Amino acid sequence: MTKQERAARTRRALILSAAEVFDQEGFAPASLTMISSRAGVSNGALHFHFANKNAVAEAVQGEALSVLRQIAHAWPEGTTPSLQSLVDTSHTLAQRLQDDVVLRAGFGLSGDTTWKERADLRRHWVDWVSSGLTVVALDGALADDVATGDALAVIAATTLGFEAMGRTDPQWSTREMFTRLWRLLLPRISADNGTGPVAPEGTSAPGGVVPGPRWWPERQDAPH
Amino acid sequence: MTKQERAARTRRALILSAAEVFDQEGFAPASLTMISSRAGVSNGALHFHFANKNAVAEAVQGEALSVLRQIAHAWPEGTTPSLQSLVDTSHTLAQRLQDDVVLRAGFGLSGDTTWKERADLRRHWVDWVSSGLTVVALDGALADDVATGDALAVIAATTLGFEAMGRTDPQWSTREMFTRLWRLLLPRISADNGTGPVAPEGTSAPGGVVPGPRWWPERQDAPH
């Protein structure tokens, strides 16, 4: 392993342990010593990668945003009807929130009043649901008497409400709760455009939706 | 003004200023000095009323719970149909979240990972929506093909999602957003039981729903 590979590995270990600390303790009480000792590296090694706690939190948010972009990426071009894609993606988000502490910490930092310089994962998710609903409407799959803004408000607030409440009570951020959302909403919002019924429980295997590593190396583009 | 009245007034001023500090900064970074100086009293006066920051936060949560109980109290016995009462109460919650920093701080503490000893206002609200939906179902006002648990999950998560997102972006916790929720949901969940249509925007004047003081003196019963 080259020196560069070792440095990259240490950096990833630090981001993971920082995510665990932020997720459990919040931003304000987290200390650099908690983060470095959990990663099994010295304080000096941490300072080689990050100038201060803000820089660590920014790196966690950057990784979390990459994961979210991977989940809620460009609209899929396959044969899945658009409304089903929206349902499936929400289930993938639910699954990843359970599995991926970096994603969870990123959402936590987005809503943490003690972390002021946040990139907003929640806003990114709202924007994605908004563009998804636009595609659904263009496909003729949104009922005529439903205002897109109303559907957006309810879908965004419910999914982010599940996430926020799941922090203190994990039963809220389960696949079952997301299924409840769609079982209630689909008969109200969907129009028959000939692509068949939409399954509220999703059409993808739980946890098997997004291939690839649990979280990706940082991208070059700036956080949203 | 007697000595007792002065002491009660100081205690209320401290709770109000603590709520403002917790609401803006979160629990962890708040200091007793920030709280006492904002209330215009000495640190000694603060310590006469509260042993430490935990005790202050508990008092804020106790007051916030009183406000929430006042909003989401025993089911009204008036002539308002039960589903309309549920809609109206959610609008009252939205209005009070905007007006009342003690209520807002109480919800904030409920979701704050840095405040571990929380009484859970969010759970209290979920329990109230749950009992409200039971009344609605008994009144025959809930559509036959709607599972009460599905409606509960969506109404609870949407309203609490509005609250959580309103912390960083106030447009989410407005009356307009709550109206969007009901405009989308009512056609799906309501059954015609002869009491007439339900107004998604509520039937009470904004802000004028709950009479009485902005927040009540502490009750004798323990927090939920």
Side-chain angles (χ1 to χ4, degrees), chain A:
Chain A
M1 191 160 56
T2 68
K3 198 170 169 181
Q4 272 183 325
E5 285 168 342
R6 268 201 306 278
R9 180 174 289 201
T10 301
R11 191 174 187 280
R12 287 171 64 100
L14 283 165
I15 289 174
L16 184 60
S17 92
E20 289 168 352
V21 173
F22 293 148
D23 185 46
Q24 283 170 28
E25 308 289 339
F27 177 73
S31 74
L32 293 180
T33 305
M34 287 158 84
I35 293 167
S36 59
S37 68
R38 188 188 279 255
V41 307
S42 67
N43 262 326
L46 188 151
H47 281 290
F48 173 80
H49 290 281
F50 302 106
N52 50 40
K53 194 166 73 168
N54 267 357
V56 184
E58 274 166 21
V60 170
Q61 283 232 307
E63 296 293 348
L65 198 62
S66 292
V67 175
L68 183 57
R69 284 187 173 137
Q70 188 189 354
I71 296 166
H73 201 45
W75 205 247
E77 295 187 18
T79 52
T80 309
S82 51
L83 189 51
Q84 187 71 63
S85 288
L86 187 61
V87 171
D88 290 355
T89 302
S90 76
H91 281 296
T92 306
L93 178 69
Q95 185 63 45
R96 296 296 290 269
L97 281 172
Q98 304 231 321
D99 293 345
D100 193 327
V101 69
V102 173
L103 181 64
R104 212 160 53 231
F107 270 101
L109 287 168
S110 293
D112 190 330
T113 46
T114 69
W115 161 245
K116 308 280 184 191
E117 287 139 275
R118 51 187 166 256
D120 202 333
L121 268 79
R122 302 198 291 196
R123 179 177 289 275
H124 187 87
W125 173 247
V126 173
D127 288 347
W128 185 84
V129 174
S130 175
S131 62
L133 279 171
T134 305
V135 175
V136 170
L138 287 170
D139 283 355
L142 197 67
D144 281 343
D145 65 337
V146 167
T148 312
D150 293 356
L152 173 61
V154 173
I155 294 167
T158 307
T159 48
L160 293 170
F162 287 159
E163 187 279 323
M165 292 162 77
R167 276 174 197 282
T168 48
D169 186 350
Q171 68 158 336
W172 281 97
S173 53
T174 57
R175 190 176 191 87
E176 188 199 338
M177 296 301 266
F178 282 73
T179 300
R180 287 185 185 278
L181 162 66
W182 296 114
R183 206 160 50 202
L184 191 72
L185 240 54
L186 285 172
R188 168 77 174 113
I189 68 171
S190 54
D192 184 5
N193 67 341
T195 56
V198 177
E201 69 280 9
T203 54
S204 316
V209 186
V210 177
R214 287 265 302 262
W215 50 280
W216 282 13
E218 274 194 323
R219 299 197 178 177
Q220 294 308 309
D221 47 345
H224 178 82

